[in-house]
Amino acid sequence: MIASPTYRCLPWLCLLVLLLMHQALGAQVRPERFRQAMARQQQRDSLAPRADSTLLPAPPRREVRLSPDSLDAPVRLRSRDSMYLDVKNKMLYVYGEGQVDYTTITLKADLITFDFDAQTVTAEGRTDSLGRTTGLPDFKNEDQQFTARRMRFNFETMKGIVYDARTMQQGVHVHSKKAKFIGARDTLQDDIIYNQDALFTTCDLPHPHFGIHSKKQMLIPNKLVIVGPSNLEIADIPTPLWLPFGFFPLTQGKRTGLIFPRDYEYSDQWGFGLRNVGWYFPINDYWDLTLTGDIYLKGTWGINANARYRKRYKHNGSLTVGYARRRVEVEGVPRFEPSMTFRWSHNQDASAHPYQTFGGSINIQTNNFQRVNRNDARSVLQSQLTSNLSWSRRFDGPYNLSVNFTHSQNTNTRQMTISFPNINFQTQTLYPFRRKNRVGPERWYERFNLRYTGEARNTFTAQDTSLFRRQTLQDARYGLRHTVSSSASFNVFKYFQVGPNVSYKEVWYFNTIRKELVFDPDTAIKPDTLYNPDDSTDFRIVYDTLNYGTVRDIVEWGLKPMRQFSAGFRVGTNLFGTVLFRKGWVRGLRHLMKPSVSFRYSPDYTNPGWGYFDYVQTDIRDPDALQRYTIFEQGIFDKPSASGRQMAISYNISNTFEGKFWSRRDSTVKKVSLLRSLNVSGSYNFAADSLRWTPVRVSGNTAFFNGITTLSFGAEWDPYQLDADGRKIDRFYFDQTGKPLRFVQATAAFSTRMTVQRLRDLFRGVNTDEASAQAPPGQARPQEEDLLSLFENFSISHQLNVRAEAEGDSIVTKVTIHNLSMRGNIQLTPNWSLTVGNIGYDFVSKRITYPDLGFYRNLHCWEMGFNWQPLRGTYSFFLRVKPGALDFINIPYSKNNVDAAFSGF
């Protein structure tokens, strides 16, 4: 055997040998392919004789005889070990990782036998000295692939037979003892596979843990599967579950089809039911719809529609609408309570439009849909729902227009507020005095700017169950507001910033409030019957007066504008203080202080000339019992101030403190924020007739332990005294006690969220936030393998709020919020995990806060889990096939929140 060609005549010899071999075997060699091969060889061989050569005559050309039963395409063979050609018997043997390529068909095996007479190929594995079979046949035709113990295929008839075959169709592994393959002769036909004694499973092991066993099947790849009587087997043990026949489509891509129920449930009040059973609709290339429902025998039902859409480079989003009608029993009488949810999320691609954006999310629920239909901690403990959907447009000029939908909902009080439409039109900052072609330095008046903002707002407020009633629409609050403002900024004496400002607002309301006193004797006077003391039959009637009139609001329709004006200025500067140390742990301290003083003027809106305020009598017996009110009491925008004319000067001092500390761990100096903010503010009103000083307010926040704990605090002191009834009087507290300020109240809030990563960084002296920011984009920080890594996805949260108030001469301190909660996932082993949705303790109410516990076991192709909410008495257990084509095989057992009792399995 010649390992490699070393002579230039060898390629010609090889071509001649192949030609004689094909002629002897009756195989086809196409003349055009032969001529092309000859021409390529002439180009490669510089010593080949030319047609016009005088040394050697050109070899005569001859046509190759074509066999009528030859193949229509070449067959390519290769192997790692060797090939053996048996010319007499017209057989070819390929040893060691052999491969046969024919059109779109590829066959690989350790032993391949090619029969030229029968035009068949046989492939099988080989057994080594240890008795192990290696190099099993692998057959591939376009996107279809089989592995088997032994297989045979005829290139002429496109038929094959496979023993112990394994293939995969649409995520389902098919194991068959014997399979017959009939290939398509042209594009108008389909490949067909007939299986005998087959097992359908999603388990990828050579010996599957489970499967649906069937004696006879017919499979058309990417189209359908037709099966005969089938039986579910688990660990090779047949179960009582039988299917007389089956017809399963295998169309690739989006296709409509049945969604098998994920859960089967029995409820004492609802009866037997199915959950999440429905149908999938692929609407088009951009939309699809999943329609699922829950149904129970005693009348409880629910429906959920989930639509998804996506258009590349345009937008994407999802829309979910759910409705549930639950049966409950009150004092033995059944009734049905409806609830609904609506969720919409829309995201616009950044390249969709250069000037226009639209996106946001909506999450609206009625009758506590989330809490009554789910039991997980997040759904039960979530008390606030919010929505924000907006459209905005930026025009070529300096104008912006936006339309918003906002919503807020408290699931505890079930109070809902919806604002729509909210229209906002505003100009960008304009400089009307700035020169178009400026030459030289900027002049002082060119710094004045002008800005206009127009707003239209409409708000509905109601209970979630009465949102769509007519009264809700009638009680809507709406109005328009125009705001024009102007300001400027100057540097004075190099270090001071001075900024004058002026603002004008005009609000248009379409209804106002007028109050009047109404006295109704039928409701204000209650008769009472008393018997005489001498036990006689005579009696007298005594009337008890319950009230002396009720103040009633009367809505008056008509356009009523409200105008507000203010003007002022602000002066501020920055002061820096730095102290450095050469030795010791502390290497430096830095203090930044930003003091500012501002003045503001606004007129007295309580003047009758404005017409913003009026008086109402509150007691029918006393004409002087008057109460002042504003006619814009129900206004959606700003209300006029009732404190009279304002000529107030305000002060504010903002402080931050930082330090530099020496780290012995890495011999570096690190900067640490000691106090993120500390603000002191107050004001003095020159126009007030009394109580001109406002309380002094202090607020700030900081963080400890590498950001694990944050502290927010605030306090208030008042310069005036209190009378015997606890009302503030126009006398300084200093005159009474010699102290400048009287303590009013103080609050402090400690918030702690501890994770394993922050604990590690704390002990190493690393700032977690800075380390995460310095990590490469899209790459997470590497995780370590130690005991703490079990709690890598676990967090502990602690909240402590303290409030101190002055009551007389003493200070009363109360703990308003104090709770501890934990949540996360603990990976005990690669297959076992413990889930804590929530567990905690409220130290104020002295109770456990909604524990939600569970565990999960990975069973290779199956999964098992258990979730328990003891405060609700709900639990759920499942043993099911992992998500896939056969995930409807499920063994669930659960108790819902309606049955409300843990009665065991």
Side-chain angles (χ1 to χ4, degrees):
M1 181 180 293
I2 301 176
S4 60
T6 56
Y7 300 98
R8 296 186 179 272
C9 62
L10 185 58
W12 289 98
L13 181 60
C14 293
L15 285 174
L16 181 59
V17 171
L18 289 175
L19 177 59
L20 294 175
M21 183 185 70
H22 279 77
Q23 287 179 340
L25 298 177
Q28 175 187 5
V29 178
R30 293 185 176 180
E32 62 273 18
R33 293 183 178 272
F34 181 76
R35 287 194 295 267
Q36 293 173 3
M38 296 282 289
R40 286 194 299 268
Q41 183 58 35
Q42 288 179 0
Q43 294 177 0
R44 289 193 298 265
D45 194 350
S46 60
L47 298 179
R50 294 174 296 180
D52 56 350
S53 175
T54 58
L55 299 178
L56 294 175
R61 298 182 180 273
R62 56 174 294 183
E63 295 293 336
V64 180
R65 181 171 57 88
L66 303 179
S67 175
D69 56 350
S70 61
L71 299 176
D72 58 354
V75 177
R76 296 180 176 86
L77 304 175
R78 69 186 71 176
S79 70
R80 179 183 59 82
D81 191 342
S82 60
M83 297 182 189
Y84 172 70
L85 176 63
D86 186 350
V87 179
K88 179 179 179 181
N89 297 318
K90 301 180 182 180
M91 301 287 291
L92 176 65
Y93 301 91
V94 181
Y95 298 98
E97 297 182 10
Q99 179 174 334
V100 179
D101 295 321
Y102 173 69
T103 62
T104 60
I105 298 173
T106 300
L107 175 62
K108 299 178 180 179
D110 253 17
L111 175 58
I112 301 176
T113 304
F114 195 95
D115 190 335
F116 290 92
D117 268 345
Q119 293 191 1
T120 61
V121 59
T122 303
E124 55 188 328
R126 289 197 299 175
T127 304
D128 58 14
S129 58
L130 299 178
R132 296 175 302 185
T133 303
T134 60
L136 292 177
D138 186 296
F139 178 85
K140 184 177 182 182
N141 183 13
E142 294 181 345
D143 57 346
Q144 303 300 319
Q145 187 169 3
F146 304 88
T147 58
R149 177 177 58 84
R150 186 172 183 269
M151 65 173 56
R152 185 175 59 192
F153 182 76
N154 190 299
F155 291 98
E156 178 65 23
T157 63
M158 296 296 290
K159 295 180 180 180
I161 187 167
V162 185
Y163 300 92
D164 294 337
R166 286 187 298 162
T167 183
M168 189 173 189
Q169 294 289 332
Q170 302 290 318
V172 177
H173 297 271
V174 182
H175 298 249
S176 63
K177 294 294 184 181
K178 185 178 180 181
K180 182 179 181 182
F181 176 81
I182 302 178
R185 300 294 297 177
D186 52 48
T187 57
L188 299 179
Q189 297 179 350
D190 296 311
D191 296 336
I192 301 177
I193 303 174
Y194 294 95
N195 288 320
Q196 179 181 347
D197 199 15
L199 187 73
F200 298 87
T201 180
T202 55
C203 183
D204 58 358
L205 293 179
H207 190 81
H209 291 128
F210 80 102
I212 298 177
H213 183 259
S214 176
K215 289 293 184 180
K216 296 180 180 180
Q217 310 86 32
M218 184 182 76
L219 185 148
I220 301 178
N222 298 327
K223 285 195 174 182
L224 59 90
V225 176
I226 302 175
V227 299
S230 305
N231 174 235
L232 175 64
E233 292 183 357
I234 300 178
D236 296 333
I237 300 176
T239 65
L241 301 178
W242 281 87
L243 185 69
F245 62 91
F247 180 87
F248 306 103
L250 294 177
T251 306
Q252 290 185 343
K254 292 183 178 180
R255 58 197 182 276
T256 184
L258 176 67
I259 300 175
F260 282 87
R262 187 65 173 170
D263 293 315
Y264 316 88
E265 183 180 18
Y266 177 80
S267 170
D268 294 337
Q269 293 200 33
W270 295 349
F272 181 80
L274 301 177
R275 297 179 64 88
N276 296 326
V277 58
W279 201 266
Y280 175 76
F281 301 91
I283 300 175
N284 53 35
D285 293 338
Y286 309 107
W287 283 79
D288 67 352
L289 173 64
T290 303
L291 191 64
T292 59
D294 308 331
I295 184 169
Y296 294 83
L297 293 181
K298 292 186 179 181
T300 295
W301 60 275
I303 189 171
N304 186 78
N306 182 20
R308 299 178 303 173
Y309 57 92
R310 174 181 293 274
K311 193 171 184 180
R312 186 176 297 180
Y313 309 123
K314 292 294 185 180
H315 52 254
N316 65 84
S318 62
L319 175 66
T320 301
V321 180
Y323 180 84
R325 191 170 180 264
R326 295 162 47 98
R327 180 181 182 270
V328 296
E329 289 188 4
V330 180
E331 298 180 354
V333 179
R335 69 177 185 183
F336 292 90
E337 294 182 349
S339 59
M340 187 186 71
T341 180
F342 178 85
R343 297 194 304 272
W344 181 27
S345 176
H346 181 86
N347 301 302
Q348 178 178 309
D349 193 273
S351 60
H353 200 283
Y355 306 112
Q356 182 174 297
T357 59
F358 176 71
S361 62
I362 296 178
N363 186 6
I364 297 178
Q365 299 179 12
T366 64
N367 210 8
N368 276 337
F369 179 93
Q370 186 171 273
R371 288 185 175 180
V372 300
N373 291 282
R374 300 172 186 170
N375 298 315
D376 60 283
R378 181 181 179 277
S379 300
V380 174
L381 299 179
Q382 186 178 12
S383 60
Q384 293 289 334
L385 302 177
T386 59
S387 304
N388 190 356
L389 187 69
S390 63
W391 172 88
S392 62
R393 169 80 183 192
R394 179 170 55 88
F395 297 93
D396 293 337
Y399 314 111
N400 296 326
L401 176 65
S402 64
V403 181
N404 300 321
F405 172 93
T406 61
H407 150 261
S408 63
Q409 182 177 354
N410 189 307
T411 58
N412 294 328
T413 63
R414 298 173 64 176
Q415 189 78 10
M416 181 186 298
T417 301
I418 295 179
S419 296
F420 179 77
N422 295 335
I423 304 175
N424 183 283
F425 175 80
Q426 64 181 9
T427 65
Q428 299 178 9
T429 304
L430 306 176
Y431 293 89
F433 306 111
R434 181 170 293 178
R435 292 166 290 173
K436 294 183 179 180
N437 300 319
R438 189 177 66 183
V439 178
E442 184 181 32
R443 299 172 183 175
W444 65 271
Y445 58 83
E446 292 182 335
R447 296 189 177 184
F448 280 92
N449 59 65
L450 185 65
R451 190 165 189 172
Y452 166 80
T453 302
E455 298 176 78
R457 192 179 301 173
N458 181 47
T459 300
F460 306 93
T461 302
Q463 293 287 319
D464 56 6
T465 54
S466 61
L467 177 63
F468 302 103
R469 296 180 181 177
R470 177 179 299 180
Q471 187 63 38
T472 302
L473 300 178
Q474 293 177 352
D475 295 340
R477 298 183 300 146
Y478 46 89
L480 286 82
R481 178 171 64 182
H482 308 271
T483 303
V484 180
S485 60
S486 179
S487 63
S489 179
F490 308 97
N491 289 333
V492 179
F493 303 118
K494 189 178 180 179
Y495 299 108
F496 294 90
Q497 296 83 37
V498 179
N501 60 84
V502 61
S503 175
Y504 172 78
K505 296 180 181 180
E506 182 169 324
V507 182
W508 294 350
Y509 288 119
F510 298 92
N511 59 68
T512 55
I513 296 296
R514 181 173 60 86
K515 296 178 180 290
E516 67 176 8
L517 180 65
V518 178
F519 182 78
D520 186 1
D522 295 335
T523 59
I525 300 177
K526 176 183 178 182
D528 190 11
T529 302
L530 297 176
Y531 289 95
N532 290 330
D534 55 0
D535 294 332
S536 63
T537 58
D538 298 333
F539 62 91
R540 55 193 177 92
I541 299 177
V542 178
Y543 293 92
D544 185 14
T545 303
L546 301 179
N547 61 70
Y548 296 96
T550 303
V551 177
R552 183 177 61 180
D553 294 342
I554 300 176
V555 179
E556 294 185 345
W557 297 92
L559 178 62
K560 178 65 176 178
M562 183 193 70
R563 302 177 177 89
Q564 292 178 304
F565 170 80
S566 65
F569 66 89
R570 179 185 178 277
V571 179
T573 187
N574 296 335
L575 301 177
F576 299 88
T578 304
V579 178
L580 300 178
F581 306 95
R582 296 184 178 180
K583 297 181 180 180
W585 176 53
V586 180
R587 292 300 177 92
L589 297 175
R590 184 175 183 266
H591 175 210
L592 171 60
M593 182 171 60
K594 298 180 179 180
S596 65
V597 178
S598 60
F599 176 81
R600 180 177 179 271
Y601 168 82
S602 64
D604 183 7
Y605 298 111
T606 62
N607 191 311
W610 292 92
Y612 296 164
F613 289 86
D614 203 348
Y615 292 87
V616 60
Q617 184 180 347
T618 58
D619 194 332
I620 195 174
R621 301 170 301 173
D622 185 7
D624 296 330
L626 301 177
Q627 180 182 355
R628 187 172 62 184
Y629 70 94
T630 174
I631 64 175
F632 305 109
E633 190 175 272
Q634 302 297 329
I636 192 174
F637 292 108
D638 301 335
K639 301 176 180 62
S641 175
S643 58
R645 186 175 60 172
Q646 295 289 320
M647 296 180 59
I649 184 169
S650 304
Y651 60 89
N652 181 77
I653 304 174
S654 176
N655 302 270
T656 59
F657 294 88
E658 296 176 343
K660 289 186 176 181
F661 300 91
W662 174 260
S663 175
R664 295 182 179 179
R665 185 183 301 272
D666 50 7
S667 301
T668 59
V669 176
K670 298 184 178 181
K671 186 174 67 174
V672 178
S673 177
L674 302 178
L675 196 59
R676 294 178 177 177
S677 68
L678 177 63
N679 301 320
V680 182
S681 62
S683 64
Y684 179 84
N685 187 8
F686 292 95
D689 56 355
S690 61
L691 304 176
R692 295 182 175 179
W693 288 97
T694 63
V696 178
R697 295 180 176 87
V698 178
S699 63
N701 67 84
T702 188
F704 308 99
F705 313 120
N706 192 22
I708 295 178
T709 300
T710 60
L711 168 64
S712 301
F713 57 90
E716 181 178 324
W717 288 268
D718 200 298
Y720 295 104
Q721 302 179 20
L722 299 177
D723 60 9
D725 297 330
R727 294 176 299 184
K728 189 162 55 174
I729 59 177
D730 193 19
R731 293 181 183 176
F732 287 110
Y733 187 68
F734 181 81
D735 298 336
Q736 180 184 15
T737 62
K739 299 179 181 179
L741 298 173
R742 174 178 56 85
F743 176 79
V744 178
Q745 65 175 0
T747 59
F750 293 87
S751 179
T752 302
R753 187 178 183 275
M754 184 168 52
T755 62
V756 171
Q757 188 63 53
R758 287 191 177 273
L759 282 176
R760 286 197 185 103
D761 293 342
L762 175 64
F763 293 126
R764 295 173 179 172
V766 178
N767 189 302
T768 304
D769 298 329
E770 293 181 358
S772 300
Q774 295 173 1
Q779 181 179 352
R781 298 178 60 185
Q783 296 184 358
E784 301 187 14
E785 296 293 336
D786 53 14
L787 181 61
L788 288 178
S789 63
L790 290 175
F791 304 90
E792 196 71 43
N793 299 319
F794 204 79
S795 64
I796 301 177
S797 300
H798 176 254
Q799 185 72 31
L800 174 62
N801 291 6
V802 181
R803 182 182 181 87
E805 294 181 342
E807 294 185 2
D809 296 334
S810 61
I811 298 177
V812 178
T813 303
K814 299 179 181 179
V815 177
T816 57
I817 299 176
H818 189 197
N819 57 60
L820 178 68
S821 64
M822 297 176 288
R823 64 184 59 192
N825 181 54
I826 303 175
Q827 194 70 34
L828 301 177
T829 67
N831 294 323
W832 280 96
S833 64
L834 176 65
T835 302
V836 181
N838 179 78
I839 188 171
Y841 187 79
D842 192 332
F843 295 92
V844 177
S845 59
K846 297 181 180 180
R847 63 182 180 88
I848 298 177
T849 57
Y850 198 81
D852 182 8
L853 308 174
F855 72 84
Y856 175 83
R857 175 68 165 93
N858 182 10
L859 300 172
H860 188 255
C861 51
W862 288 67
E863 58 184 1
M864 179 179 65
F866 178 77
N867 295 293
W868 179 37
Q869 299 82 28
L871 291 185
R872 278 198 169 188
T874 59
Y875 63 88
S876 64
F877 170 82
F878 63 86
L879 176 61
R880 64 195 179 198
V881 175
K882 286 185 176 181
L886 302 179
D887 58 2
F888 59 88
I889 302 176
N890 185 14
I891 306 176
Y893 189 83
S894 62
K895 283 288 185 180
N896 55 39
N897 52 30
V898 177
D899 298 329
F902 187 90
S903 56
F905 292 100

